[in-house]
Every structure is written in C-alpha cells, then in structure tokens.
Amino acid sequence: RTFLNTAAGKTTDTQLIIYNLPSSLTEYLSEASQKEASFIRSTLFAGSNASAGQVIAYDGNANKFLGLDNDSSSGIIDFLKTNPSLSGSLACATLAALSALDSAATEQLLPVTSQSDTVVLIGSGGREHALAVALAQSPLVKEVIVCPGNGGTKAEGGKISNAVDSDGNPISKQDNDTVLELVKRVNAKMVVVGPEQPLVDGVVDVLAVECPSVKVFGPSKAGAELEASKAFTKDFLQQHGIPTAKYQNFTSADEAIAYVKSLDPNDRQVVKASGLAAGKGVLLPTTQEETIEAVKEIMSDKAFGAAGDTCVIESFMTGPEASCLAFCDGKTAVLMPAAQDHKRALDNDEGLNTGGMGAYAPAPCVTPEMHKEIEAMCIKTVEKMAERGTPYVGVLYAGMMLTPNGPSMLEYNCRFGDPETQVVLPLLETDLYEVMTACCDGELDSIDVRFKENVSAATVVCAAKGYPESYPKGMAIKGLDQAGSVDNVKVYHAGTKLDDENVTRCSGGRVLAVTGMGSNLTEALAASYKAVKQITFEDSNGDSLMHYRTDIAKGAIRKKLRIGVLGSTRGTALLPVMEAIANGSLHAEIVAVVSNRSKALILEKGKSLGVTVTTQFVSSKGLTKDQYDAECTSVLVGAGVEYMLLVGYMRILSKQFCDYWAGSCINVHPSLLPKHAGGMDLEVHQAVIDAKETESGCTIHEVTEEVDGGPIVIQKVVNVDGSDTAESLKSKVQALEGAAFIEAIQKKCKTTVSYADAGVSIDAGNSLVEMIKPACKATRRPGCDADLGGFGGLFDLAAAGYKSEDTIIIGATDGVGTKLRVAHMTKKHESVGIDLVAMCVNDLIVAGGEPLFFLDYFATGKLDVNEAAAVVRGIAEGCSQAGCGLIGGETAEMPSMYAPGDYDLAGFSVGAVHKDKVLPQNVSAGDVLLGLPSSGVHSNGFSLVRKLVEKANLDYESACPWDKNAGTVGDSLLTPTKIYVKCCLPLLKKEMLTGLSHITGGGLLENLPRSLPSNVKAEITGHPPLPAVFSWMKQISGLDDYEMLRTFNNGVGMVLIVKSDVVDEAKTLLREAGEDVVYDLGVLTERQGDEEQVEMKCSLA
C-alpha cells in the first residue's frame, strides 16, 4: 500500500493522506493492513493537530472518495482548498468505513459455522496445492476438498483435505460423474477446475445442468476450445485483430508440406498439433527439411494422436516469453503479474521440454505498458467470446512472446499454469475466493484485485531423476519439515503420495515446487534454493534420485538496467551510451526518451532505437510544474524505466519528481561540482576561465530538489590551457560526458558483488574436484591413497619402505613454461600435465630419490572445468608413469590476473632417499657418460620455439615440416616430456650410478656441470645426430652448435654417470626397463684450471 502525501495549499503545511480502503475482509485482516488502519485512526484522533494531516478514504471498489460526491472527486486537492470545513465529515466517513470493516471482522470470530462455504477443487498437481492453500485463507471458506489431490494436500490439514467416497475411501478419479457425485454429496458452494482435461470434457457444462446453484470457476467446453484447438485460437486471434504470428491451418499433410516448400527456406517455422498434447505438441524445427519432417511426425506418424489431425504452421517469433494469467468473468478480465517459467529439463535451457522446472513473478521483462497491452488483449478476447455466445469465465492464460514489435500472442490456455500458479497466487493480496465468486457472478469489476507491491516469488521444481523420460517412483522424500521451516518458503506438492505409515513418497515426475518469497527476486530465489537443499528423494539404498535446475531466473536477475532519458536538445552525450549498449559493454537498455520540445533532436535518437522504445514529446501547455513532471513520470514508469538520465534537460524539476526518482536519476553538469553549481552551458566554462582554474571537467550527480546539489557519482577531469575559450573548453568537457554517463550506469548496474560476480565459480571448482577424483585415485601407491578434498595430502613413509631416521626428503618444483601457449592455441591440454610431472620427478631422480607424491597448482582467469580436468588427467598419467601418488592440488580462479582462456601450472613433488645414497657421490675422472634419448623438445626453450614457428610462417595447425608422420606442428611440439624414473630406479637400487643430470633449460652445457665436482670435466665424444625437430630449428634459427647446446636438449634428455666397470650391466638394466637406445656420450677427465666443464669433441650433425 502506498499513501499519497501532497501539500494541500500554500497557506498551510497540512498533509493530505489518501487512505486506500482494503478491497476485501481478508486483506483488511492482514498484518500490513492492520498497521495502516492503526496509523489512520491515530491520525484522525489527533483532531485539530494540523501537522497530523488531513485524511480522506478512497473506496477502490466504488471508485469514489468517501464523504464527497463524484463531481468533487475529480479535483480533490483544489476542492479541499476551497472547502476546509469538510474536514470533519471526511474524517467521520473514514472512521465509519473502518468501523464497518471491524464489524465484519468481528463476525469472523464467531463459531466456525459462519464459515459456511465448501469448495471442491479438481486436480492433483502443484497448481492445485497452491490453489487449495490460497482458497483456505479466505474467512468465507469452511473447507477445500481436493479431488483427487496429492500427498501434500492430504497432509496440509486445517481446511484442506483430499476427496473420499461415501465409504471414506480415497477418490482417485476426476471424471465428470465422480465430480458430480462429490459436489452433490458435500453440498459444495463452488467448484474450481485446475487441469485442462476436465474443462475440455465439459465438466462445467455438466455441473451447470445438474447443480445450477453451484458456482463453477472455469470455462465451458465451448470456452475451453481456446486451448483445445490451436487452429480455432489462431483463427479467433486473426479475426479480432489480436497480434499473433503469421500462420496457416492444415488437415492434409500433403497440403501442409506444399505450403512449407512454398516459403522462403530461411524463414523459420513452428509446427503445432492443434489439439491437446499434454504440452508436448509444439515442434521447433530449424530448417525447411526439419519443418517437413515435423509435419510428417504430427500428421502422418500421429506422434500426438488425434491432437495432430489438424496442424498449425506459424512463423517463428523471437523475444522473451511471458506467462500472463487473467481472471475473467465473462465480460472483462483482470491481468495478474506476469510470470516466466523454465520449460527445459536442464540448466542453460538445455535438455528436453517439460511441464516446467521453475518460475518467477513478477517478470521484469513485462513493463507496465506491456501489462496494459496484454490485459487489453485478454479483455478483448473475453468480450468477443461473449459476443459469439460462449462467455468465458475462469482463468485465461495468455502465452506471450515479447517481440521487437511488441507483445504477440503465442497461444491460450484455459486454466492456471503450473508452476506459474505457485508464484502468482502467493502475490495475491485480495481474497482469492472472493475474486472467484465475483468471476462466477459476472461482477469482477466490483472487486479491487490487488497484488503485493515490492514482493517477488520464485519456485524451483524438484523432479525425479530421468524426468521427463523414464523416471523412478516410490522414493521417500526427506527434509520436508526442514524445508518448510525456512523463512518465506512454501513447499507445494505435485507428484507425491502418503503411504500407510504417513511417509511422503514420490509418485510422479515433477514432485515438488518449492516457492520462496522476498522483497526482490534475488531474495526469493535464495529462500527457495535454501529450502531445496534440505530435500532429498531417497531410494531403498539411500541414494538421492532428485533433480532440479540451479539457474531459475538467472536471466531475470542479470536483466539489463532499463534506462529512461529526459532531454531538450540534441542529446550528444547519449550517443556513447547507445554505442556501449549496442556493443555489449554496458548491461543496460534505453526504453524511453522523453522531451519537453517537440522538435528536439534527442527524440530522433530515441526513434532510431526501434519501435519498442517509447519516444514521446510531452507538452507542458496548461500544466503546472508538478502536473507536467507527473505526466513525464507516468510515461517513464509505463515504459518500465528503472534509471533516469537527464541529457541536456532544460527544466527545473519539481520536488515530487525528485522524491519519486530519488537515487535513480542522474544529471551531467559541465563543471567539477560543487564549483559553478547552478550555472549552465557556456557561462560555466567562461567562469572557469575567468577564475584561472587549471582543471575543469564534468560531474555526474544524483538529482535532488537542490539544483546541482545531489550526491556526486562520477567526475571526469580535463586540463584548462591558457589558450582555451569557453567554446573550446566546452568541446573538451562534452567529449567526456558520454564516458561519464557510461561509468555511472555501470556502477548502478552492480550494487552488490558476489564471488561469482568477481568471476570466480565455486560450483565449477567443486565440479572439477569430482571430475578428477577417479584419475587421482588411479595413482595410488604404498604410503598414500591419492584421495582429494581434504586440507592436505597425507603420506606414510613407513608404508613406502622408508625408515624416518635413515631417510632424507627431497622436494622439487617446476612449471611447463610457455609450452602452455601451444596447448592454449591448439586446445589440447592433457599432455602438458605429463610435462609438469616430468619436470619435477626427473629432478628428484637426479638426487637419487624415489618420487613419492605430487601436488599441482592450476591458476586460471576463468575456470573451464573440462579443460582443467584434461590437464589433471595428464598430471595423473604422469604420476602413474613416475610411480608417485597425486595427493592434492590447488585450483585458483583469478579473473584479474589471467585473461579468459589462459591458465598456468606449477608442480610440486616430494621424494625420499637413504641418507647414504644421495647423488651425486664419488664422481671422478674415468667415469662414463651414458645418454638417454629425449622424446622431443620437452618443456624448455619454447619462447624461442614459438618465435621460430612464426618466422617460418607456420601455425600450430600446419602440417609438421620436420616429421610427416607427426600430424601438425602443434601435435609434434606437444609431445610430452619423457619421464626417466622407472628406467633409472633399478640402477639406483643397485647403487650403480654416481650421478645423473636432467637436461632441461640451459641444455647439456649448463645442466651437466651441476652434477660434476669442480675437478673433473666431461668430454663429449659421441653426441647422437640431431633429431629432425632440432635440425629444423637449427636451420630456421641459424644458431651455431654452442647456442643450440645451451638452449635445447638436442635429443638427450638424461645423462647417467657410471663407473667404467659397470657400463655393460647398466645398459642391460636400462634395456630391461624399456630403454632400447642408450648413447655412449663420453667420459669424465681431470679438469685443468678454469677449463669449461663440458668439452664438445664432436659437432651436432
């Protein structure tokens, strides 16, 4: 409820308070109405205290002010100014109205016999549960009997129960004979029909004949043809000029196919079975060929039975859909708040169509103006149905497409929607039973149908796994009490039943609809999902078999900010805003452009945005400032404006306008406020120059009654040069205004920031952990179980065969370097995980240690679960090759650090070695150097490698020039780094190695000396021929042998240092471990002075 406070005249500060009387007793008894009534009484009893205010009551049902005649009501404020003596009589009229409401309320305190009406409600779904709850709230209703009902309506208690037969047995049917017998037996006052099938079967017509005194809320069989026959509805809409898509009806498949072939192949069509098809008779082909197949499926194959005897083919429309339900009394209609539902089974609107997986209301996409348009279509439908002799009573469900050209009718349903009912009825403030009674009596215009203001509702459907295809039944539903105890939540039942032990079990596909309420959609969703997470559907094994969507109303929450513009001039500063919206950098849309000048060029900018943008000149002729601003506000509100921009608006705004748009209206001023406040255009810039200021700029500020005095939102600064004139400074400042508006709008678009808003998805991280667990489990080894999810990974040294007092722990860490760029560009990610492990464990083995466990660090700008999982699978494969356990890792999503699509890796490995077996040891002259082949470039030198690929005018999808069998350049370069652990461990255990050297960055020349004592040097006499990839790089780069040897591994990935007497045995063990090729690289000799520790006695061939 809102109160209109306005000055009653310049000679007094008395406030006029208009009290909008509750439209029904139920509304009056609500907590909010009782607070309002108390406020009104206290104001009236203040008597002569002028500051308390003048109260006048408005009766919305009678459309009049109490205590005044109708003629006086039209100019209430002016009339009261000239007739102050009426104050007492107006107060008495208001008190009398409150007394009448109190008297009616007192009657409700009498025994329950005063609540005499019995309502029979036909149906068994979530819609019927919601209807039953709403009807039971009426003080006029004694009981609501649901036929046949469900587990929820049975357990609801109070006034609500499920139908039973004369022997007390549950009724399971809802056919006409069953309903008729029940209505007569319980002496029902009203019958409310939920689903469409009883309507089409003529239950309303049967009851009209057999029980003429019973009110029936629902259309007759003739009225229900609006849903039963899409062909009828399309003809009806076209005949009466109600917007709908271009269409044709067909009873011959051949004629329908011929029609499709006659259309432009690029014009997409929708193919519908005309009759009832359980919500599944609409097909959405994307090509002409698919359209023909859709016709055959409906008409020839009879996929939907007799429903497809007539087929409707209509043009495909684009835009958001909205579900618009209207109360109808055979003469007129009143539209409820629009809702939007989610038909697809899976998140992101994927999967099969369902009856609905969730809904929310009010739908932000339906503006007040659209609401009026759609309500007018419903009213026209009811009027035209009455003219043809088939009055329509009940609910008319208009399925709307909000096209770029305005709302267009998709189809009609003749009953409440499901799950839309579960979000619309909780918003209803007026007594539902009174509304339905008025509809049945043809007196809907006598009821002020009201809905709660500033309240949203959202429902999440909990379905059985597998729905809408094959799904299990009979699961016990756990957590209903906990879900029901969540604040502002109601759990509506659909496919449920109570067993003999009063356990609620699943009996259908859509099982529950969990509705949350809140002051906005975000709050409503939070309540709903909080409750949903308390619920499980458990089978006999304790497994949960419940499915629900996690993205209900996602689009509405992230809806674009709806901007309105007031301007008097060219609107130059609006152009950057329009461009930012067009290119997607500003999450907003301009929905209205209003001017006080009929020829203002800013109106042309509004028209250029399309017909759905309200572009209007509002004349001020004959209007006061308050009246003019009220006219502008009316236009803006009708267009659904949420945020106002003043762009060159040459009027001073009224207090009422500023108060209404407080915090949601901004203006640009051509100075750095508070300097030069109140000035305009060139005079401001001249004032800056005259004051010899060195800086000026523009200020975006909130609009308040104080001119240029509102809170500052954004300021942009320019330097003032000594040569600047007012005109040149104006040009500088104007260039900043558009950008300033954009920045201010961006701030408005985001008032709260969550972790997800910052670009971090906790759910994606959790999904990744679940996805990689099997790969990590596969790396189990003695000492660890390779499980994930804890705060740290555990390793048992004793289980791995190491005694702590004799063991040294070795740690190694490394990354993959810019080889990752190749993986990013080729979108091939598994091999780099092996690289990461190899770079760490190969370093561990060099120290004589056995790798025990591994941890990884994955950092990204935007977590792609599948991409990250591929990397970790590669890491797990590397761990398996190295014989170490993957016991943990960290995934860091950091949008501000990495660009979307980029990631970086780091690895950490720990190994163990006996204290007496740490390498290198006893390395001396005479030892022999053996080499093990590399698998390719490995993971070093890729900054140069990528330069060489670029220099050769290749990309990573090019055919590999150095190896025709390697596929592409990317495939060859991504060959993973070889892991040398398993081939070297046998030699370590036999203590045959005096040292090892892993040839990584720095090549042979830089790495081999790290394993040599200072008194020896290596003489390389048998370096193998360069593998093809290195020969190609040497040729493209022009590098000499020295630079090649200090950059790449050149075909040798690991060097083993052995005593000369065990060379043959070492080679044998290596071959047994799978190393078919072992290079005789050279020997160690005495080093003289400061000789280089690696001397090449051969060239790279």
Side-chain angles (χ1 to χ4, degrees):
R1 186 73 53 86
T2 58
F3 293 96
L4 174 62
N5 298 314
T6 183
K10 294 181 180 179
T11 59
T12 176
D13 59 358
T14 300
Q15 296 292 302
L16 174 63
I17 302 172
I18 299 178
Y19 176 46
N20 202 352
L21 284 173
S23 63
S24 67
L25 182 59
T26 304
E27 184 183 347
Y28 178 64
L29 293 174
S30 70
E31 183 179 354
S33 285
Q34 286 298 298
K35 288 180 179 178
E36 290 174 0
S38 177
F39 168 75
I40 292 299
R41 287 191 184 91
S42 64
T43 303
L44 291 171
F45 293 145
S48 60
N49 182 358
S51 63
Q54 167 69 62
V55 176
I56 181 170
Y58 174 74
D59 184 347
N61 293 337
N63 190 26
K64 63 177 292 185
F65 291 100
L66 301 187
L68 294 177
D69 58 41
N70 289 333
D71 291 338
S72 302
S73 298
S74 60
I76 180 67
I77 295 175
D78 293 334
F79 183 77
L80 289 175
K81 288 180 184 178
T82 56
N83 295 275
S85 60
L86 285 174
S87 176
S89 60
L90 293 173
C92 289
T94 302
L95 280 174
L98 286 171
S99 297
L101 287 167
D102 286 337
S103 297
T106 301
E107 293 181 11
Q108 299 306 315
L109 299 177
L110 298 175
V112 74
T113 52
S114 65
Q115 302 175 356
S116 59
D117 292 356
T118 295
V119 178
V120 169
L121 172 60
I122 303 173
S124 61
R127 163 184 52 212
E128 285 70 41
H129 192 177
L131 282 164
V133 170
L135 286 165
Q137 290 171 353
S138 173
L140 305 176
V141 172
K142 179 178 70 174
E143 60 179 337
V144 180
I145 301 173
V146 192
C147 177
N150 56 44
T153 51
K154 182 177 181 180
E156 191 71 42
K159 299 180 182 180
I160 301 172
S161 63
N162 285 355
V164 296
D165 61 21
S166 56
D167 297 323
N169 299 313
I171 292 176
S172 59
K173 299 186 294 183
Q174 56 186 31
D175 60 277
N176 291 353
D177 291 341
T178 299
V179 171
L180 182 61
E181 187 278 332
L182 175 65
V183 170
K184 290 180 177 180
R185 176 161 48 85
V186 301
N187 194 27
K189 182 80 170 182
M190 178 183 288
V191 175
V192 178
V193 187
E196 67 273 15
Q197 195 60 54
L199 296 170
V200 174
D201 291 342
V203 68
V204 174
D205 306 77
V206 170
L207 289 168
V209 173
E210 299 292 334
C211 306
S213 63
V214 175
K215 302 180 190 299
V216 184
F217 185 81
S220 65
K221 185 173 184 178
E225 193 172 6
L226 283 171
E227 179 169 1
S229 171
K230 293 181 178 64
F232 167 80
T233 299
K234 295 295 287 189
D235 288 343
F236 179 92
L237 294 171
Q238 185 180 67
Q239 179 183 354
H240 299 297
I242 298 172
T244 190
K246 177 185 174 184
Y247 76 100
Q248 289 287 338
N249 299 328
F250 296 95
T251 55
S252 163
D254 290 340
E255 291 178 5
I257 292 170
Y259 171 73
V260 172
K261 290 180 178 178
S262 72
L263 298 173
D264 185 330
N266 295 319
D267 289 344
R268 190 175 171 187
Q269 303 295 308
V270 179
V271 185
K272 300 179 178 181
S274 177
L276 294 178
K280 299 178 181 178
V282 178
L283 303 182
L284 302 172
T286 58
T287 66
Q288 191 175 74
E289 292 73 20
E290 289 179 1
T291 305
I292 291 171
E293 289 305 312
V295 170
K296 293 177 179 178
E297 182 178 348
I298 290 174
M299 303 195 75
S300 302
D301 300 341
K302 296 296 181 183
F304 306 107
D309 289 348
T310 298
C311 175
V312 179
I313 301 174
E314 67 178 30
S315 297
F316 183 84
M317 294 188 290
T318 59
E321 290 187 42
S323 302
C324 301
L325 283 63
F327 290 113
C328 306
D329 69 346
K331 302 174 184 176
T332 189
V334 173
L335 196 65
M336 306 177 212
Q340 285 189 293
D341 72 338
H342 296 261
K343 291 295 187 187
R344 298 283 188 171
L346 307 177
D347 284 359
N348 301 314
D349 289 328
E350 296 177 353
L352 298 174
N353 267 334
T354 70
M357 293 299 294
Y360 55 93
C365 60
V366 178
T367 67
E369 282 300 317
M370 288 183 183
H371 190 278
K372 291 178 183 177
E373 286 184 63
I374 296 167
E375 183 173 63
M377 295 180 198
C378 293
I379 291 172
K380 189 172 188 178
T381 298
V382 173
E383 291 173 345
K384 296 303 179 182
M385 289 293 285
E387 287 177 10
R388 66 190 297 271
T390 54
Y392 190 95
V393 174
V395 163
L396 186 62
Y397 173 162
M400 303 301 303
M401 181 70 81
L402 308 181
T403 76
N405 295 317
S408 185
M409 193 73 66
L410 284 169
E411 62 181 6
Y412 279 129
N413 293 318
C414 295
R415 33 71 189 182
F416 280 98
D418 189 342
E420 292 91 345
T421 304
Q422 291 91 307
V423 292
V424 172
L425 285 187
L427 301 178
L428 181 64
E429 200 167 67
T430 310
D431 186 325
L432 176 63
Y433 183 66
E434 290 187 30
V435 175
M436 289 182 168
T437 299
C439 288
C440 295
D441 292 342
E443 298 176 353
L444 184 57
D445 57 1
S446 70
I447 293 286
D448 184 12
V449 182
R450 293 187 196 166
F451 291 85
K452 297 169 184 173
E453 295 181 359
N454 302 316
V455 178
S456 293
T459 196
V460 178
V461 170
C462 299
K465 274 191 176 178
Y467 173 80
E469 297 184 295
S470 176
Y471 55 85
K473 296 181 181 179
M475 299 84 75
I477 304 176
K478 302 289 185 66
L480 286 172
D481 290 342
Q482 294 90 326
S485 66
V486 175
D487 289 343
N488 301 315
V489 164
K490 176 65 181 177
V491 180
Y492 296 110
H493 291 232
T496 70
K497 64 179 181 181
L498 287 180
D499 65 14
D500 295 339
E501 297 178 353
N502 259 6
V503 175
T504 305
R505 296 188 176 275
C506 301
S507 62
R510 290 192 297 165
V511 180
L512 304 171
V514 182
T515 298
M517 304 276 286
S519 60
N520 55 53
L521 190 50
T522 301
E523 288 184 7
L525 281 166
S528 178
Y529 276 116
K530 182 179 180 181
V532 166
K533 290 176 181 177
Q534 308 298 315
I535 301 170
T536 59
F537 301 165
E538 290 188 0
D539 65 7
S540 57
N541 297 320
D543 294 330
S544 178
L545 298 177
M546 186 176 87
H547 165 69
Y548 63 91
R549 283 184 57 164
T550 64
D551 64 344
I552 300 303
K554 177 181 176 182
I557 289 177
R558 298 180 180 177
K559 70 182 181 69
K560 294 179 178 180
L561 181 69
R562 300 176 65 85
I563 293 174
V565 180
L566 278 177
S568 305
T569 57
R570 291 176 296 177
T572 304
L574 188 60
L575 287 174
V577 176
M578 294 166 62
E579 291 170 2
I581 290 172
N583 64 32
S585 61
L586 193 58
H587 195 64
E589 58 181 333
I590 296 171
V591 296
V593 178
V594 175
S595 180
N596 61 319
R597 296 179 180 175
S598 61
K599 296 183 180 180
L601 292 179
I602 197 169
L603 293 175
E604 296 304 313
K605 292 177 174 61
K607 292 175 183 177
S608 72
L609 295 171
V611 296
T612 57
V613 175
T614 300
T615 303
Q616 190 168 334
F617 157 64
V618 177
S619 174
S620 61
K621 187 175 181 179
L623 301 178
T624 66
K625 180 165 68 173
D626 286 355
Q627 290 171 332
Y628 180 79
D629 285 352
E631 285 291 321
C632 291
T633 293
S634 176
V635 173
L636 296 166
V637 170
V641 170
E642 299 168 317
Y643 200 55
M644 282 292 307
L645 311 184
L646 304 187
V647 182
Y649 191 55
M650 312 302 283
R651 283 182 62 94
I652 301 299
L653 295 164
S654 64
K655 180 181 185 301
Q656 283 84 353
F657 184 95
C658 295
D659 289 347
Y660 185 91
W661 295 101
S664 297
C665 181
I666 57 176
N667 181 44
V668 61
H669 188 268
S671 77
L672 297 177
L673 292 176
K675 293 181 179 180
H676 312 294
M680 297 180 68
D681 202 23
L682 289 175
E683 70 180 69
V684 172
H685 304 299
Q686 189 61 54
V688 170
I689 293 171
D690 293 344
K692 301 188 184 306
E693 295 172 9
T694 58
E695 287 185 338
S696 186
C698 65
T699 301
I700 303 291
H701 64 94
E702 291 183 10
V703 174
T704 62
E705 191 178 7
E706 180 185 355
V707 176
D708 298 333
I712 292 173
V713 181
I714 297 290
Q715 288 190 319
K716 295 286 187 182
V717 179
V718 296
N719 292 324
V720 181
D721 300 327
S723 60
D724 270 327
T725 64
E727 288 78 5
S728 67
L729 185 55
K730 175 180 178 180
S731 297
K732 284 183 178 181
V733 172
Q734 275 190 335
L736 299 175
E737 291 178 354
F741 267 131
I742 291 171
E743 196 170 330
I745 294 166
Q746 287 172 333
K747 288 183 69 174
K748 180 66 177 180
C749 287
K750 277 294 179 186
T751 56
T752 59
V753 182
S754 68
Y755 213 16
D757 294 326
V760 180
S761 172
I762 295 173
D763 292 337
N766 294 337
S767 298
L768 173 62
V769 172
E770 294 303 315
M771 190 177 291
I772 64 179
K773 275 184 177 180
C776 297
K777 283 280 189 184
T779 68
R780 289 175 176 170
R781 57 152 294 155
C784 74
D785 64 2
D787 204 357
L788 298 183
F791 288 97
L794 304 179
F795 193 93
D796 185 348
L797 274 175
Y802 291 92
K803 296 180 180 179
S804 59
E805 64 271 16
D806 299 328
T807 302
I808 289 178
I809 296 297
I810 312 167
T813 182
D814 211 332
V816 183
T818 58
K819 186 174 185 177
L820 288 178
R821 299 302 301 167
V822 182
H824 294 162
M825 297 177 75
T826 59
K827 301 188 183 302
K828 297 175 181 178
H829 305 284
E830 291 206 7
S831 64
V832 292
I834 300 174
D835 286 309
L836 185 67
V837 177
M839 297 304 291
C840 295
V841 298
N842 286 344
D843 284 353
L844 285 182
I845 201 77
V846 165
E850 176 190 5
L852 301 178
F853 62 84
F854 190 88
L855 301 102
D856 67 87
Y857 179 80
F858 181 98
T860 182
K862 176 68 175 176
L863 181 59
D864 182 318
V865 173
N866 293 323
E867 184 179 273
V871 172
V872 178
R873 284 194 295 269
I875 293 171
E877 170 59 25
C879 288
S880 295
Q881 292 182 25
C884 62
L886 177 55
I887 66 171
E890 170 69 8
T891 302
E893 190 172 16
M894 299 184 288
S896 59
M897 294 292 292
Y898 297 93
D902 282 355
Y903 63 82
D904 199 4
L905 297 175
F908 311 88
S909 187
V910 173
V913 61
H914 193 279
K915 287 180 179 180
D916 298 333
K917 297 180 181 180
V918 177
L919 295 184
Q921 61 175 279
N922 301 323
V923 176
S924 61
D927 289 353
V928 176
L929 302 176
L930 301 178
L932 297 180
S934 67
S935 57
V937 184
H938 284 186
S939 300
N940 297 104
F942 266 85
S943 294
L944 176 56
V945 171
R946 292 186 299 113
K947 272 288 185 185
L948 297 179
V949 171
E950 181 182 337
K951 181 179 179 182
N953 293 320
L954 298 173
D955 60 37
Y956 298 105
E957 299 301 323
S958 301
C960 182
W962 57 82
D963 185 352
K964 294 182 180 178
N965 297 320
T968 66
V969 170
D971 291 336
S972 178
L973 293 178
L974 287 174
T975 301
T977 303
K978 186 174 179 178
I979 295 175
Y980 297 97
V981 173
K982 290 186 176 178
C983 65
C984 290
L985 275 178
L987 281 72
L988 286 171
K989 290 178 179 179
K990 290 204 170 190
E991 301 182 34
M992 299 175 64
L993 298 175
T994 60
L996 287 161
S997 181
H998 182 202
I999 310 305
T1000 60
L1004 187 69
L1005 300 185
E1006 300 285 343
N1007 285 287
L1008 185 52
R1010 297 164 66 184
S1011 298
L1012 302 179
S1014 61
N1015 63 337
V1016 301
K1017 71 174 185 178
E1019 292 185 355
I1020 307 299
T1021 57
H1023 195 287
L1026 283 178
V1029 62
F1030 295 108
S1031 293
W1032 181 85
M1033 290 184 193
K1034 191 171 189 292
Q1035 176 188 350
I1036 297 296
S1037 67
L1039 294 176
D1040 58 20
D1041 285 2
Y1042 175 76
E1043 290 297 332
M1044 287 291 292
L1045 284 165
R1046 66 195 297 263
T1047 304
F1048 301 113
N1049 67 61
N1050 295 295
V1052 179
M1054 183 69 77
V1055 176
L1056 290 67
I1057 307 172
V1058 300
K1059 296 299 181 184
S1060 59
D1061 60 345
V1062 295
V1063 170
D1064 290 340
E1065 185 180 356
K1067 288 182 177 180
T1068 299
L1069 289 175
L1070 288 169
R1071 291 189 179 100
E1072 288 176 355
E1075 294 295 328
D1076 296 330
V1077 176
V1078 180
Y1079 301 127
D1080 293 309
L1081 287 179
V1083 296
L1084 298 183
T1085 62
E1086 296 287 346
R1087 183 185 182 204
Q1088 303 299 319
D1090 59 355
E1091 283 183 304
E1092 295 291 340
Q1093 279 198 283
V1094 179
E1095 182 181 357
M1096 293 297 296
K1097 295 283 190 175
C1098 59
S1099 62
L1100 294 179

